């Protein structure tokens, strides 16, 4: 029996009288799926008492979401979320938000009461197929955010940054340096262990990572993490965090979506910015991921998200194809109609360590 797994990027719900209204125009994309997973960017713990003070120090104007916004996720049929991102902070806000998700019956990964809990995967079954999810964030506050052996927090996959001066900077002052990034070796190794362990427990494995910077360019550490996840046994890597769409890399016959962009985003500072996103329909047959349909979406002047069709959809997909070209292989198959493109996965190119009986 076949299934459709829906994946989408950043979701922030706040300030809506009817939280379910956030997804009303994308209902068809949601209801066709058997399982739905997104990145929840915003703790469902309620804003602080001072409307002039941000809920996260040093992040101007940030406000946590009201707990009743979870009803919007439930109405949309969201089954599981990643909470591994830079606004799941401080830990007290995260823990309150996890309680809200638990009460609503929405599974979550990427954060918890300690390091072990934060690295705990979500495994959900649909018609005999086991779907596994792991979540991490590379975008994080340097102190008090990462889960520890006995402290609450999120699962981090941090990276270091260094700068190499341009060779002509001595001659031409002000030339931009080259930015080098590298994943922390011990956190990269922990992620690899997590994937290898989960691979033995599921048929389809998705790794979710909050990473990158706004714009088209993909950082070196994103590539290293994404490829290491595929090498360890992930079927698909979904990135988010830049809020803008980034390219797709096919690595060992498996896709790395470097950034799906925004899906629903109500934070007022985001109004009119980073409007485009990608929704993925992952087709699973015989307990194997066989292909991915890519559906462009866009937030309108009312900030509600809608599917794109026709020339608008084609324009977004052409841009994704152009951003994907530097990775050396065209991610899109030959099937392209209207608002979707089929990403085909050559099964012979990839042999996971786990094979279902």
């Amino acid at each position: 029996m076949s299934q459709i797994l829906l994946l989408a990027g950043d979701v922030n719900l706040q300030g809506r009288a009817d939280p379910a209204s956030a997804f009303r125009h994308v209902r068809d994309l949601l209801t066709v799926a058997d399982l739905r997973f997104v990145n929840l960017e915003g703790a469902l713990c309620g804003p602080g008492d001072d409307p002039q003070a941000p809920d996260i120090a040093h992040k101007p104007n940030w406000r946590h979401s009201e707990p009743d916004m979870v009803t919007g996720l439930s109405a949309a049929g969201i089954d599981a979320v990643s909470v591994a991102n830079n606004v799941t902070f401080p830990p007290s806000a995260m823990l309150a938000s996890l309680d809200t998700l638990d009460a609503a019956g929405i599974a979550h990964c990427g954060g918890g009461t300690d390091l072990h809990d934060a690295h705990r995967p979500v495994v959900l079954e649909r018609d005999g197929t086991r779907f596994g999810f792991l979540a991490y964030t590379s975008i994080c506050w340097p102190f008090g955010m990462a889960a520890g052996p006995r402290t609450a927090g999120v699962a981090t996959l941090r990276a270091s940054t260094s700068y190499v001066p341009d060779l002509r900077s001595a001659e031409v002052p002000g030339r931009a340096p080259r930015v080098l990034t590298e994943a922390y070796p011990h956190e990269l190794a922990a992620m690899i262990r997590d994937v290898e362990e989960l691979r033995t427990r599921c048929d389809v494995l998705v790794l979710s990572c909050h990473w990158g910077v706004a714009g088209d360019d993909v950082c070196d550490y994103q590539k290293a993490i994404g490829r290491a996840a595929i090498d360890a046994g992930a079927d698909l890597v979904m990135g988010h965090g830049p809020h803008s769409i980034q390219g797709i890399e096919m690595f060992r016959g498996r896709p790395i979506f470097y950034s799906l962009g925004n899906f629903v985003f109500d934070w007022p500072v985001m109004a009119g910015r980073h409007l485009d996103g990608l929704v993925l329909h992952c087709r699973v047959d015989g307990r194997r991921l066989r292909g991915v349909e890519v559906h462009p979406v866009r937030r309108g002047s009312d900030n509600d998200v809608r599917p794109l069709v026709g020339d608008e959809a084609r324009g977004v997909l052409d841009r994704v194809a152009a951003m994907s070209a530097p990775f050396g292989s065209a991610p899109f198959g030959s099937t392209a109609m209207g608002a979707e493109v089929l990403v085909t996965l050559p099964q012979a190119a990839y042999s996971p360590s786990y094979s279902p009986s």
Side-chain angles (χ1 to χ4, degrees):
M1 181 175 291
S2 63
Q3 298 91 28
I4 294 178
L5 165 65
L6 179 144
L7 303 173
D10 295 322
V11 171
N12 175 275
L13 285 168
Q14 59 181 263
R16 288 182 181 260
D18 176 12
S21 66
F23 300 96
R24 57 187 169 184
H25 301 297
V26 289
R27 180 67 58 185
D28 288 346
L29 288 176
L30 291 160
T31 55
V32 74
D34 300 282
L35 189 63
R36 291 153 286 267
F37 179 91
V38 302
N39 175 57
L40 177 62
E41 189 157 9
L44 301 169
C45 62
D49 294 332
D50 184 353
Q52 302 303 314
D55 288 336
I56 298 177
H58 313 300
K59 190 171 182 66
N61 303 313
W62 180 261
R63 306 296 285 169
H64 292 315
S65 298
E66 303 87 349
D68 63 353
M69 292 298 112
V70 75
T71 61
L73 299 175
S74 297
I78 303 300
D79 299 283
V81 300
S82 161
V83 299
N85 52 70
N86 55 305
V87 295
T88 306
F89 185 76
S92 57
M94 178 199 69
L95 293 174
S97 185
L98 297 186
D99 286 344
T100 299
L101 291 168
D102 287 339
I106 297 174
H108 48 81
C109 54
T113 55
D114 57 25
L115 186 64
H116 181 265
D117 198 27
H119 282 248
R120 191 190 309 275
V122 163
V123 179
L124 298 174
E125 185 173 331
R126 292 292 185 274
D127 295 321
T129 298
R130 290 169 291 181
F131 295 85
F133 304 90
L134 287 163
Y136 309 86
T137 184
S138 300
I139 306 173
C140 56
W141 302 98
F143 304 106
M145 186 167 194
R150 290 176 294 278
T151 56
V154 297
T156 56
L157 232 178
R158 291 168 287 188
S160 60
T161 305
S162 58
Y163 304 92
V164 179
D166 185 276
L167 291 175
R168 295 188 62 197
S169 60
E171 171 198 1
V172 185
R175 286 180 67 90
R178 181 184 174 195
V179 180
L180 303 179
T181 56
E182 182 179 7
Y184 283 16
H186 69 287
E187 295 195 341
L188 183 63
M191 179 274 289
I192 291 170
R193 290 193 299 270
D194 290 344
V195 173
E196 290 174 342
E197 192 279 331
L198 180 58
R199 183 74 264 176
T200 67
R201 299 170 50 199
C202 69
D203 305 294
V204 177
L205 196 162
V206 174
L207 184 132
S208 169
C209 199
H210 203 66
W211 59 10
V213 295
D216 297 351
D217 295 335
V218 174
C219 299
D220 292 338
Y221 80 88
Q222 293 175 259
K223 301 172 192 175
I225 290 172
R227 294 166 185 173
I230 298 295
D231 277 336
D235 290 297
L236 182 149
V237 176
M238 57 173 283
H240 37 82
H243 298 296
S244 51
I245 296 171
Q246 293 181 340
I248 307 166
E249 178 179 13
M250 295 298 292
F251 182 73
R252 293 186 63 197
R254 284 295 181 268
I256 304 171
F257 290 84
Y258 280 109
S259 180
L260 298 178
N262 287 332
F263 188 30
V264 168
F265 222 94
D266 286 335
W267 185 35
V269 175
M270 195 66 72
R273 302 171 56 227
H274 300 303
L275 302 178
D276 291 350
L278 302 177
V279 172
L280 309 182
H281 280 169
C282 307
R283 179 174 54 83
V284 176
D285 285 310
R287 295 191 286 178
R288 282 285 183 265
L289 180 64
R290 303 297 184 181
V292 183
E293 290 178 358
V294 182
H295 298 265
V297 295
R298 178 174 294 161
R299 296 183 352 265
S301 58
D302 56 2
N303 206 47
D304 284 349
V305 64
R306 294 171 173 82
L308 293 180
V309 297
D311 290 342
E312 288 185 320
R314 181 69 60 181
V316 171
L317 294 171
D318 286 347
R319 185 159 54 88
V320 173
M323 289 187 290
S324 304
F327 296 114
S329 60
F332 296 155
S334 59
T335 301
M337 296 183 295
E340 63 189 46
V341 164
L342 183 66
V343 179
T344 55
L345 306 182
Q347 296 301 305
Y350 178 69
S351 179
S353 57
Y354 169 63
S355 296
S357 57

